[in-house]
Amino acid sequence: MQSAFDRRRINGPEDSYHPVFANKIQESPSNVHIIRENRKISDIRPIFLQPGLISQANGSAYIEMESMKIACSVYGPRQSKNTAYNEKGRLNVEVKFAPYSCELRRSPLRDAEDRSIAVAIQQALLSSVQLEHFPKSTIDIFLVIIEADGIEGCIASGSIAASTALADAGIDMYGLVTSCATAVIGTDLWIDPTQEESNTASGTLILSCMPALGIVTNVWQSGRIAPSEILACIDACNDRCTDIHSVVAQALLDSAHNKI
């Protein structure tokens, strides 16, 4: 009789006296005092962006912003099956967390957080793609979050990576989409917050736009933010999106030179 034991898998112990994340102390948000040591509250994290990482895909991109790491691949446009004829193409976005992307090991099954991030990224990209050029076609975008640092970082970084991958695939677009998040902590605006900073904030806002055209594609807000603070967050994010746009454009230019 064949054994059901999988010899290729190394199973860990059922119990352990040493927690995996022993250096991180869980505290209530009200007792946490956040201090940024490596950057100012008005600065974004350094961006590493590499288009064309996945050779099997029509377009791809890998983005890394310190503890945020996302790989994105684009397939299509390809003919839609089992759907009625439509003059405009469809843009599908699917987000998946790697099991080791968070402090607590995630289930391989999709949950509500995956879908909410996918919807936010799709809304950010939808108005930038010329879907009228691809009738009865589908463009699929797959994002794998290798390391996560808050839902705001996942949406912002994922939108940048997806727009870069679309451009790398040669999809007709009106412009490149960049995204940036802001957290309201006390009376200050913290640009590009981490998960720890977002947990202490009274509210967060994510702005997605096409800086080359001056068009806002999506605004995602959570928590309680005063109307005057919302306008201040939008202005702060808009300035950072312009800086990110130059990084994305330079990465695509360098990738095109390497291909030639």
Side-chain angles (χ1 to χ4, degrees):
M1 184 178 67
Q2 186 178 4
S3 175
F5 179 74
D6 189 357
R7 298 182 180 180
R8 296 171 297 179
R9 178 174 298 177
I10 300 177
N11 297 319
E14 295 294 335
D15 298 321
S16 177
Y17 296 101
H18 302 283
V20 178
F21 298 92
N23 57 338
K24 296 187 178 181
I25 303 175
Q26 300 293 333
E27 298 181 0
S28 59
S30 59
N31 298 329
V32 175
H33 181 64
I34 304 298
I35 299 177
R36 281 189 178 178
E37 298 179 354
N38 300 327
R39 58 190 173 104
K40 300 179 181 178
I41 62 174
S42 58
D43 294 339
I44 61 174
R45 287 171 278 192
I47 300 176
F48 173 79
L49 184 62
Q50 179 62 54
L53 184 68
I54 304 173
S55 58
Q56 294 84 357
N58 297 101
S60 61
Y62 171 78
I63 188 170
E64 182 174 326
M65 300 178 67
E66 290 186 352
S67 54
M68 275 297 313
K69 300 177 179 65
I70 299 177
C72 177
S73 58
V74 173
Y75 297 90
R78 47 193 177 188
Q79 183 178 0
S80 300
K81 297 181 180 180
N82 302 326
T83 57
Y85 176 80
N86 195 339
E87 294 182 357
K88 286 188 175 183
R90 296 177 56 191
L91 184 68
N92 296 330
V93 179
E94 182 176 331
V95 175
K96 183 177 181 181
F97 282 86
Y100 47 82
S101 60
C102 303
E103 293 185 7
L104 298 178
R105 185 174 179 85
R106 297 184 66 98
S107 170
L109 301 177
R110 297 185 63 189
D111 54 16
E113 188 175 18
D114 299 352
R115 297 184 181 93
S116 62
I117 295 175
V119 169
I121 294 176
Q122 183 190 36
Q123 292 298 322
L125 301 173
L126 200 57
S127 58
S128 69
V129 182
Q130 300 182 18
L131 294 176
E132 62 273 10
H133 292 181
F134 311 105
K136 202 181 178 182
S137 299
T138 303
I139 301 173
D140 296 313
I141 302 176
F142 299 96
L143 296 103
V144 178
I145 300 177
I146 302 173
E147 185 176 357
D149 192 8
I151 187 172
E152 292 81 10
C154 292
I155 295 175
S157 302
S159 300
I160 298 171
S163 182
T164 305
L166 287 170
D168 183 64
I171 304 296
D172 295 340
M173 303 173 64
Y174 294 105
L176 294 171
V177 174
T178 57
S179 183
C180 183
T182 304
V184 179
I185 302 178
T187 58
D188 297 326
L189 302 181
W190 292 54
I191 304 296
D192 192 14
T194 62
Q195 182 175 4
E196 185 180 10
E197 295 167 354
S198 298
N199 293 338
T200 62
S202 59
T204 58
L205 183 141
I206 304 174
L207 175 73
S208 301
C209 63
M210 292 185 284
L213 302 179
I215 297 176
V216 175
T217 59
N218 189 37
V219 176
W220 189 87
Q221 183 255 330
S222 64
R224 296 183 179 180
I225 306 179
S228 58
E229 293 176 335
I230 291 178
L231 296 177
C233 290
I234 291 176
D235 292 338
C237 289
N238 190 38
D239 294 337
R240 294 297 170 264
C241 285
T242 303
D243 299 335
I244 298 172
H245 183 270
S246 60
V247 175
V248 176
Q250 186 62 43
L252 289 169
L253 185 62
D254 294 341
S255 177
H257 281 263
N258 294 334
K259 291 179 180 179
I260 295 174

